Amino acid sequence: MKNTWTDLPLNYGDKLIVMAGVIVDIQDGAVGMDLKGRLGSLRVPKRMLICDEPLQIGQEVAFRMSFPEVVNSTPNEKYVQILEHEKERNG
């Protein structure tokens, strides 16, 4: 029985690649980083970042990740409604 997101079927196997970036934003619970190679930006919970010293803007980061894969062609209505509600609330 598939009842969690970790059980979602993926059509393509993992192809882990090294991603690198620079920390550009530090908030109480999140860290923002710009990815090198003009690959965009990423925001992760602070607790996910491995660091032995206090975080600083400009520190370089690296990690491995695979390519995201769309696993359901039908949009999740719950999330669509939440996004529309937030858009209306924020103008």
Side-chain angles (χ1 to χ4, degrees):
M1 181 174 170
K2 296 177 179 159
N3 56 6
T4 69
W5 59 272
T6 57
D7 294 331
L8 290 172
L10 296 174
N11 295 321
Y12 299 92
D14 288 337
K15 181 177 175 137
L16 296 177
I17 57 174
V18 175
M19 304 288 289
V22 177
I23 293 175
V24 296
D25 186 35
I26 302 170
Q27 301 291 322
D28 286 341
V31 176
M33 55 190 82
D34 283 345
L35 302 179
K36 293 185 176 180
R38 295 185 285 176
L39 293 175
S41 61
L42 184 66
R43 178 172 292 282
V44 298
K46 204 175 199 179
R47 67 181 182 276
M48 290 182 63
L49 200 58
I50 300 169
C51 186
D52 294 331
E53 300 175 13
L55 297 174
Q56 298 177 47
I57 300 291
Q59 285 178 313
E60 293 184 289
V61 296
F63 54 95
R64 295 180 195 277
M65 70 177 276
S66 185
F67 297 99
E69 179 180 337
V70 175
V71 295
N72 190 341
S73 61
T74 305
N76 183 317
E77 285 301 319
K78 174 184 168 189
Y79 287 97
V80 171
Q81 289 176 1
I82 291 171
L83 291 171
E84 288 174 354
H85 178 72
E86 286 183 10
K87 189 183 288 183
E88 289 174 9
R89 191 174 64 187
N90 296 329

